[in-house]
């Protein structure tokens, strides 16, 4: 039996018909007549030497050969489409598709994007705030900002500034609770989005880092970091704030970190893109802008004693 592949147009007609289970719908998608699509599939069946569809009265059904062929053709055309989009994007120096988590977008990216837009009016920015795992080819993403441990095989991965946590609150609450010991009686809040960190970076760990044995059990829990920070900004309580989520508010005085002890997490934010794409003009410009913006709040780090979380004594 020959391994010579049939014409691509015939395979495309089969893939669409198998996906829709309808010759009419496949013909409409491919902008051909049902008769032309049926001719392409018939030629494919002749090339194979056996039928791919059972033609029923008002429907079609895949034969055993059709069921064997359908998954591979579907995956193949998806790969071809992704490769074509990736090659086409290399010619586009004006559009920049960026994805980041909703909390990071709300607390860090969105408030200062105007600076990048003003410096680079030629770049058409498009943002997707999601934690969904993205495929850089299929999803037409240029840059992803992700928090975690990695590794990031096959990608250009640049760690951003190390991440830490420390209690943050309004200046008014800081005046009421001037020491770590006073937090035993304070309205503490919980950011559950950091529960995945290992070693843990939670309230009991932070209290051990300042020499206290205290496990708070009461207080509101937030599944999103930006919601927890917004509650702290409103004066509702005190939360362990992650650097990226609170550094701008600390820098501008809306929040304070009065106790100076911060825990450095092993997880960090990474700037991700396809390997080799980091030199594309709009991606390189965005990366340089992010690094410059991070450095604007570097003074906040200098006010803190930051220790790696793994150095905190265990329970």
């Amino acid at each position: 039996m020959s391994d010579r592949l049939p014409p691509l147009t015939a395979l495309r007609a089969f893939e669409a018909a198998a996906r829709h289970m309808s010759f009419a719908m496949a013909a409409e998608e491919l902008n051909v007549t049902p008769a032309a699509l049926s001719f392409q599939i018939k030629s494919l069946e002749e090339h194979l030497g056996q039928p791919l569809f059972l033609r029923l009265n008002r429907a079609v059904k895949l034969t055993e050969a059709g069921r064997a062929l359908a998954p591979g053709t579907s995956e193949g055309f998806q790969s071809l489409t992704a490769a074509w989009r990736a090659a086409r994007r290399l010619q586009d120096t004006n559009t920049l598709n960026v994805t980041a988590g909703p909390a990071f977008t709300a607390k860090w990216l969105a408030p200062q994007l105007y600076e990048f837009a003003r410096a680079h009016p030629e770049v058409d920015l498009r943002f997707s705030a999601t934690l969904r795992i993205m495929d850089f080819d299929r999803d037409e993403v240029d840059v992803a900002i992700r928090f975690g441990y990695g590794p990031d095989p096959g990608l250009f991965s640049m760690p951003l500034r190390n991440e830490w946590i420390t209690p943050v609150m309004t200046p008014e609450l800081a005046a009421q609770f001037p020491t770590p010991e006073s937090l035993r009686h304070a309205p503490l809040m919980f950011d559950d989005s950091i529960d995945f960190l290992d070693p843990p970076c939670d309230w009991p760990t932070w209290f051990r880092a300042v020499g206290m044995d205290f496990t708070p059990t009461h207080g509101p829990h937030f599944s999103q970091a930006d919601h927890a920070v917004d509650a702290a900004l409103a004066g509702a309580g005190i939360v362990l704030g992650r650097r990226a989520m609170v550094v701008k508010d600390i820098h501008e005085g809306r929040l304070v970190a009065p106790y100076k002890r911060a825990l450095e997490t092993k997880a960090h934010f990474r700037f991700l893109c396809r390997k080799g794409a980091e030199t594309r003009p709009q991606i390189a410009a965005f990366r340089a802008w992010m690094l410059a913006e991070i450095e604007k709040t570097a003074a906040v780090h200098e006010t803190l004693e930051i220790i790696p979380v793994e150095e905190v004594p265990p329970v």
Side-chain angles (χ1 to χ4, degrees), residues 136 152-157 272-275:
F136 280 85
D152 306 298
L155 297 176
F156 171 83
S157 179
L272 305 173
C273 66
R274 292 172 65 246
K275 194 167 287 185

Side-chain angles (χ1 to χ4, degrees), residues 27-48:
E28 183 178 356
E29 177 186 312
L30 299 178
N31 198 28
V32 299
T33 65
L37 183 121
S38 181
F39 175 80
Q40 291 290 346
I41 293 175
K42 187 66 176 176
S43 69
L44 186 63
E45 291 174 324
E46 290 174 355
H47 187 98
L48 182 63

